[in-house]
Amino acid sequence: MPELFSILVLIASGFYIIYCGMRTKRLRQQLQTEIDKSHDLQKTTEKMEAEFSSQVLTDALTGLPGRKIFEDHLSLIISQSMRYQLTFSVMSLDLHGFKMINDTLGYDMGDAILRQVALRLKNCIRQVDTLSRFSGGEFVFIFSQINKAETAAYIAKRLLNALVEPFVADEQTFYLAASIGIAIFPMDGRDGKTLLKNADLALGQAKLQGRNTWQFYQQEMHTSSRRELILSGSLHDETSYRQFNILYQPYVNVDSRKLACMEAILEWRHPDFGLVTFEEFSQLAEKNNNIMAIYEWLLRNACQDEAKWRQRGFHAGMLSIRVSLKLLEHTHFIQKISSILHETGVDPSHLIFEITESSLLTKIDLVEKMLHMLKHLGVQIAINNFGAGHLPLQHLRRLPINIFKIDRSLVYDIDTNPESEAIVKMIIALATSLQSQVMAEGVMNASQKQVLLSLGCVTMQGPLFSGPVLAGDFNEKLLQTIGEGT
C-alpha cells in the first residue's frame, strides 16, 4: 500500500511539474506579447511626437515654416540687426473674405486656393527672407535689410499684384484681394512680439482703406486701437443708446415739390470721443454681434417718429433705413421687423430698406431669399450707392428691387463729365425697364439738378435741399427752405 501511495505521489508530482512548465511557458508568451505591445506603443508614440513636431515647425497645408520657426528666425534677425545696426520689415498679409470660400464651397476648395496663394507669395521673396502662414488666410513675412520705406512699399505692392490674377480650383475661377500691414525694425518695435503686434495694427488700418492696400504702422494706431476697445465696450451697455441721435435727410420730388422720403441716419455722441458715425460703430457692432440690438433701437425709434409726424399732420413720404448684410443673416430679422411695425402702427409699404450694392456681391442666395421675404412683408427694397460697385446685372433679375439710388460719386460731376452723365442715363433706363424708381444722392447745386431732371430723375437728396435734421426740427420754415431748393 505504501508503495502504491509513493507511485501516486510521483505521478502527481510529474503532472504538477508538467503543469508548472506549461504555465511558465504561457506566462513567458504573455510577457513577450506585452513587451511587443510596449515596443509598438513606444514606436507609435515616437511617430506621433515626430509628426506633431513636424506640424509645429511646418505648416502641413502649404509646406511653409510654422510659427515656431518664424518666431525663432525673427529673434535671430533682431539680434543680427542690433549688432550690425540694420533695419528690416515685418509684414502681415490677410486675404479678404477667405472665410466665405470655406463656408460656401468647403475647406477642400479653400485649401487648394491657399496652396496656390502660398506658392505665388513664395515666388515674391528672396532666400534670405521668411514667409509663414499663421492661420486661415493670414501670411507673415520678414524682409531682411530693408533700408527705405519706399522699398518696403514696393515689396508690398509686388505681393498684392501677385494675387491679382484669378485662381482656379476644381474648374472654378476665383478673384482674391488682400491687405498688408508693415512694421519696421527698430522704429516700430525692438522685439518680435511688438513688431508682430504693430504689423497687425497696421493691417487693420489697411483693411479700413479698402482692398489691395498696404499701411505702415504709426504710433497713432495705438490710439485708434484704444478707441475701438472703448467704443466696443460701450456698445455692450444699453445705457449708451441714450447717446444715440437719429437724423433725417429728406428726398424731394422736384416736380411736385413734396417730400418723397426721409432717410434715417443714426449717429452717436460719445462722452469721450464726440461724434461717432454710424459707419464706424456699426462695424464694431457687427464684430461684437450686437448689431441686431442697435438696429431694433433704430427701427423702433424711427417708426415712432414717423407715427408722431402723422399725428401732427406732417406727411414725410417714405421712411428709408440702411440694412447691412449681417442683419440679413440674422435668424430673427424678419420677425423683429414685423413686430416693430405692428407695435408702432407703421404701414410696411411706407418703409424702404436700403441694401448697398457692394453687399450684393457676396452671399447672393441668402440676400435673394431675405429680400423676397421682406417684399412679402410689404417693405420696399432699394439698392444704395448704385453705380459705385460692380454688381453683375444678371443678379438684378433675381432681386425684387423697387428703387435704384444713384451714387453721389456719379452725381458730383454729372454737369461737367459726359461719362458720368452717360452712366446715370443708363442707370435710369435700366430702372425704367425693370419698372423701378430712381433717386439721386448728393445733389449740391442747380446745375446738377437740371441735368438729372433732363435725364428723367425727379427724386433727389442733397445739400441743395436740406442736410440731416433732428425729427423735432421739421417745421414750416424748414419745409419752405426745402421747397425753395426745388
Side-chain angles (χ1 to χ4, degrees), residues 77-128:
I77 293 292
I78 290 173
S79 298
Q80 292 176 343
S81 298
M82 283 183 173
R83 181 177 181 181
Y84 297 106
Q85 297 184 335
L86 301 174
T87 61
F88 68 91
S89 68
V90 173
M91 298 190 190
S92 182
L93 178 150
D94 193 39
L95 300 174
H96 286 272
F98 182 75
K99 182 177 181 297
M100 184 181 68
I101 294 178
N102 282 336
D103 291 345
T104 57
L105 301 176
Y107 285 91
D108 288 343
M109 187 76 76
D111 290 349
I113 294 174
L114 276 179
R115 282 190 285 268
Q116 295 182 48
V117 170
L119 182 60
R120 292 192 192 184
L121 295 178
K122 190 174 182 180
N123 289 334
C124 293
I125 67 173
R126 304 164 298 177
Q127 287 187 345
V128 294

Side-chain angles (χ1 to χ4, degrees), residues 10-26:
L10 287 173
I11 294 172
S13 299
F15 279 117
Y16 180 73
I17 292 171
I18 294 172
Y19 167 76
C20 289
M22 293 175 64
R23 180 175 175 79
T24 302
K25 183 178 181 181
R26 284 199 301 270

Side-chain angles (χ1 to χ4, degrees), residues 369-481:
K369 177 183 177 181
M370 295 302 295
L371 292 189
H372 277 286
M373 291 175 70
L374 287 172
K375 186 74 172 178
H376 181 73
L377 191 63
V379 173
Q380 296 204 43
I381 308 298
I383 296 184
N384 188 36
N385 303 131
F386 192 75
H390 306 281
L391 178 67
L393 295 181
Q394 65 265 28
H395 287 352
L396 296 179
R397 296 180 302 172
R398 303 170 55 179
L399 305 176
I401 306 301
N402 302 105
I403 302 166
F404 290 85
K405 300 183 72 172
I406 302 170
D407 186 67
R408 63 184 66 246
S409 65
L410 296 173
V411 174
Y412 176 76
D413 61 354
I414 193 172
D415 55 339
T416 59
N417 188 340
E419 291 182 358
S420 293
E421 181 179 351
I423 294 172
V424 170
K425 185 177 181 179
M426 286 190 293
I427 293 173
I428 294 172
L430 174 64
T432 302
S433 65
L434 294 174
Q435 298 182 334
S436 301
Q437 301 177 52
V438 65
M439 298 179 176
E441 304 174 313
V443 180
M444 302 178 66
N445 56 55
S447 177
Q448 295 168 344
K449 181 187 75 173
Q450 290 303 321
V451 175
L452 288 166
L453 275 174
S454 69
L455 296 176
C457 176
V458 298
T459 306
M460 309 177 195
Q461 179 198 63
L464 179 63
F465 309 103
S466 173
V469 180
L470 289 170
D473 291 341
F474 280 100
N475 51 43
E476 293 300 325
K477 184 177 180 180
L478 179 60
L479 292 177
Q480 184 179 355
T481 302

Side-chain angles (χ1 to χ4, degrees), residues 116-397:
Q116 295 182 48
V117 170
L119 182 60
R120 292 192 192 184
L121 295 178
K122 190 174 182 180
N123 289 334
C124 293
I125 67 173
R126 304 164 298 177
Q127 287 187 345
V128 294
D129 301 324
T130 303
L131 165 61
S132 175
R133 184 176 81 100
F134 274 17
S135 63
E138 182 185 1
F139 294 82
V140 186
F141 306 79
I142 303 172
F143 288 100
S144 305
Q145 300 181 24
I146 301 297
N147 299 317
K148 297 180 180 179
E150 293 85 350
T151 305
Y154 170 80
I155 293 172
K157 184 177 181 180
R158 184 181 177 189
L159 293 172
L160 293 174
N161 286 340
L163 305 179
V164 169
E165 293 297 320
F167 293 84
V168 179
D170 196 21
E171 299 182 353
Q172 295 190 53
T173 301
F174 302 90
Y175 290 88
L176 297 180
S179 294
I180 295 177
I182 306 171
I184 306 294
F185 173 89
M187 293 80 76
D188 301 333
R190 303 180 70 86
D191 61 86
K193 183 178 179 180
T194 302
L195 286 168
L196 286 170
K197 180 184 70 174
N198 290 342
D200 194 57
L201 280 173
L203 172 63
Q205 290 297 314
K207 289 180 178 180
L208 295 177
Q209 304 300 320
R211 294 165 175 257
N212 291 325
T213 58
W214 67 88
Q215 182 75 45
F216 285 93
Y217 167 77
Q218 300 172 13
Q219 185 63 36
E220 294 79 6
M221 290 177 182
H222 280 291
T223 303
S224 175
S225 180
R226 175 179 174 273
R227 174 188 174 98
E228 179 177 334
L229 186 64
I230 294 175
L231 290 178
S232 295
S234 298
L235 286 174
H236 283 293
D237 184 358
E238 291 190 5
T239 59
S240 64
Y241 293 6
R242 299 170 189 169
Q243 301 154 8
F244 288 172
N245 286 321
I246 304 178
L247 302 178
Y248 297 91
Q249 187 165 13
Y251 278 85
V252 183
N253 186 307
V254 178
D255 277 349
S256 66
R257 297 195 173 190
K258 293 182 179 180
L259 294 180
C261 176
M262 294 287 251
E263 179 182 356
I265 304 168
L266 185 62
E267 67 173 20
W268 184 9
R269 293 283 176 178
H270 192 274
D272 295 327
F273 300 114
L275 176 63
V276 183
T277 64
F278 182 67
E279 285 73 16
E280 179 180 0
F281 72 81
S282 64
Q283 290 181 2
L284 297 178
E286 288 182 357
K287 288 181 182 178
N288 298 333
N289 296 318
N290 56 355
I291 186 65
M292 189 65 208
I294 293 174
Y295 178 78
E296 278 188 65
W297 186 96
L298 170 60
L299 180 60
R300 177 173 286 106
N301 282 272
C303 286
Q304 289 173 352
D305 286 339
E306 201 269 350
K308 292 176 184 177
W309 289 332
R310 278 187 281 112
Q311 291 174 1
R312 289 168 43 194
F314 172 57
H315 300 287
M318 309 285 289
L319 178 64
S320 182
I321 299 176
R322 295 189 183 185
V323 179
S324 72
L325 182 60
K326 277 287 185 183
L327 285 170
L328 295 179
E329 293 175 344
H330 203 282
T331 309
H332 304 295
F333 178 65
I334 299 295
Q335 179 185 346
K336 292 289 186 182
I337 294 169
S338 179
S339 175
I340 292 173
L341 290 176
H342 178 75
E343 173 190 326
T344 57
V346 173
D347 189 332
S349 64
H350 292 172
L351 186 62
I352 301 173
F353 283 154
E354 299 183 21
I355 313 294
T356 58
E357 182 183 3
S358 58
S359 68
L360 299 175
L361 297 173
T362 58
K363 301 188 178 180
I364 184 64
D365 293 331
L366 170 66
V367 173
E368 179 186 6
K369 177 183 177 181
M370 295 302 295
L371 292 189
H372 277 286
M373 291 175 70
L374 287 172
K375 186 74 172 178
H376 181 73
L377 191 63
V379 173
Q380 296 204 43
I381 308 298
I383 296 184
N384 188 36
N385 303 131
F386 192 75
H390 306 281
L391 178 67
L393 295 181
Q394 65 265 28
H395 287 352
L396 296 179
R397 296 180 302 172

